[in-house]
Amino acid sequence: MKAIILKEYGLPNVLEIGEVAKPIPNDNEVLVKVHSASINDWDWGMVRGKPFVIRLFFGLLKPKINIPGIDVSGKIEAVGGQVSSFKIGDEIYCDLSECGMGGFAEYVCVPENDLHRKPPSISHNDASALPHAGLLALQGLVEKGKVKAGQNVLINGAGGGVGTLGIQILKSYGVNVTGVDSEQKLDMMKSLGYDRVMDYRKVDFTDIGEKYDLILDAKSNRSVFKYARSLKKKGAYITVGGSMYRLIEIFLFGSIISLFTGKKLSVLIHKPNEGLDQISKLVEKGQLKTVIDGPYEFDQIPELIQFFGEGKHLGKIVVEIDK
Ligand SMILES: NC(=O)c1ccc[n+]([C@@H]2O[C@H](COP(=O)([O-])OP(=O)(O)OC[C@H]3O[C@@H](n4cnc5c(N)ncnc54)[C@H](OP(=O)(O)O)[C@@H]3O)[C@@H](O)[C@H]2O)c1
């Protein structure tokens, strides 16, 4: 089968497009024919082996996992002997980040427990854009952030995968939402429902004296004390990603600040696929739509990972693998 192969860390041009053996599912797995896959920060990080801490999971000198790709949507082509809830022909979508990645290929084996049925009303292209970013948004805003009606909410990095889905999740809560991202994304963000938008290159939202009940940050790059100052009394700041230095700072000082101020500052530890049924329900109710950059061709994946890393994408970059 065709696959994107990573043999050594480096810029995405180290990736090779080649042929590997079609995988065979274990008893608890299914074989999925991948129709579509989307690109995530994990792919950008795994291919480069950066930040260095990522190598503790993927291999210190050389990657132990050789096919990147975590978000997929496709059809089951074979099932292992112990699989009971899915059958050949079922259409599924899921996040592969806890089961060995491998989404940038024609086929991938997935444990039954990681599978979710694709919402029937959407295409594989749309479905592949949802699992990773959708759950970062849902777990950050709803599960950990406990968003409530009437709150003032800010999403930093609002025009990316997490922010474009996060705003739609928030809208059913009746909240006022500010989105911060680069200038070229602001019109798209307004069209998705952000009440107010800011260009991070012109305004530092932590410097203008405005305070929020809830902040979700996809790009933490400021001091934890600045974030604390931007929260209302009992407000919550949740980061899903950003500079490693800042994440460690938030992790170390967040709970101490909470102790003295009652404000909560924390790092979200993403739980892959947990709550994907809720995402499916929002999709079926018409409350969640994907913003897709693409669909692109399989052979473009290396350059698309570079394109993602340079932040040129609008929404989720989607690749149609099975045309
Ligand atoms: N917590 C966990 O367990 C976990 C697991 C997986 C992934 N993650 C993290 O989750 C995040 C995923 O976010 P995503 O998929 O939405 O990424 P994304 O699609 O790359 O979006 C990030 C957005 O932030 C913007 N941006 C860049 N620098 C910024 C700044 N200084 N201030 C404000 N916005 C800025 C980017 O725009 P421009 O590039 O145009 O500037 C882009 O639109 C990543 O940080 C990833 O590392 C966390």
Side-chain angles (χ1 to χ4, degrees):
M1 67 167 186
K2 223 166 36 168
I4 299 293
I5 304 163
L6 177 70
K7 292 184 179 159
E8 55 184 311
Y9 295 121
L11 285 174
N13 58 15
V14 298
L15 289 165
E16 293 171 20
I17 301 167
E19 290 287 326
V20 297
K22 189 171 164 181
I24 299 166
N26 290 327
D27 278 353
N28 66 335
E29 291 179 336
V30 306
L31 177 69
V32 174
K33 184 161 177 49
V34 181
H35 188 288
S36 311
S38 71
I39 292 178
N40 285 283
D41 200 58
W42 270 77
D43 303 310
W44 172 239
M46 177 196 171
V47 170
R48 291 171 310 131
K50 284 183 184 171
F52 196 79
V53 67
I54 217 167
R55 299 189 183 210
L56 300 177
F57 306 100
F58 293 132
L60 268 188
L61 300 175
K62 274 180 176 285
K64 286 188 279 192
I65 291 175
N66 298 110
I67 305 177
I70 60 171
D71 266 346
V72 292
S73 181
K75 199 184 251 189
I76 297 181
E77 199 170 282
V79 294
Q82 286 169 14
V83 172
S84 56
S85 314
F86 291 89
K87 59 181 190 318
I88 292 173
D90 284 349
E91 296 192 312
I92 60 86
Y93 73 138
C94 62
D95 177 339
L96 305 171
S97 55
E98 267 189 350
C99 60
M101 308 180 82
F104 297 152
E106 286 179 285
Y107 294 90
V108 65
C109 287
V110 188
E112 180 180 20
N113 290 344
D114 285 309
L115 295 171
H116 286 261
R117 283 176 213 287
K118 177 181 83 64
S121 63
I122 58 168
S123 66
H124 286 293
N125 286 342
D126 283 318
S128 73
L130 287 166
H132 196 72
L135 285 182
L136 281 169
L138 187 77
Q139 290 168 9
L141 293 165
V142 180
E143 195 183 300
K144 203 168 174 89
K146 305 209 176 341
V147 61
K148 287 182 199 68
Q151 287 187 326
N152 253 336
V153 182
L154 180 139
I155 300 184
N156 190 42
V162 172
T164 52
L165 296 169
I167 177 63
Q168 301 176 65
I169 292 170
L170 284 174
K171 277 295 146 181
S172 61
Y173 284 84
V175 289
N176 188 288
V177 193
T178 300
V180 184
D181 209 301
S182 53
E183 191 180 4
Q184 74 268 24
K185 295 180 185 163
L186 302 186
D187 285 342
M188 178 267 287
M189 284 157 50
K190 276 191 217 153
S191 73
L192 282 173
Y194 280 98
D195 299 289
R196 199 166 152 230
V197 294
M198 289 183 208
D199 175 355
Y200 73 83
R201 293 195 175 96
K202 293 193 182 134
V203 186
D204 179 340
F205 78 89
T206 63
D207 269 349
I208 54 178
E210 290 180 9
K211 295 188 191 291
Y212 299 88
D213 300 289
L214 176 60
I215 298 174
L216 185 74
D217 202 342
K219 283 282 168 190
S220 297
N221 61 358
R222 298 181 181 85
S223 120
V224 65
F225 302 102
K226 281 189 142 197
Y227 292 131
R229 277 202 298 274
S230 305
L231 288 176
K232 290 186 185 170
K233 214 173 157 187
K234 294 192 177 166
Y237 171 90
I238 294 149
T239 174
V240 300
S243 112
M244 191 50 68
Y245 172 78
R246 293 302 182 193
L247 296 186
I248 293 169
E249 190 187 67
I250 294 160
F251 183 75
L252 293 177
F253 291 106
S255 45
I256 300 172
I257 296 174
S258 302
L259 212 61
F260 288 102
T261 64
K263 299 174 182 178
K264 291 202 172 82
L265 295 106
S266 56
V267 180
L268 179 84
I269 309 296
H270 175 233
K271 290 169 273 174
N273 299 315
E274 212 177 297
L276 202 49
D277 287 338
Q278 268 173 275
I279 296 283
S280 299
K281 280 185 195 148
L282 290 171
V283 169
E284 289 302 355
K285 281 195 233 160
Q287 290 176 350
L288 193 57
K289 293 194 170 61
T290 49
V291 179
I292 284 185
D293 193 328
Y296 293 95
E297 307 272 326
F298 182 82
D299 290 0
Q300 292 177 282
I301 289 175
E303 65 193 80
L304 291 169
I305 296 176
Q306 182 70 37
F307 181 67
F308 176 94
E310 290 167 8
K312 293 180 179 158
H313 56 295
L314 283 179
K316 292 291 296 178
I317 302 174
V318 167
V319 181
E320 199 166 73
I321 294 178
D322 181 27
K323 286 194 158 275

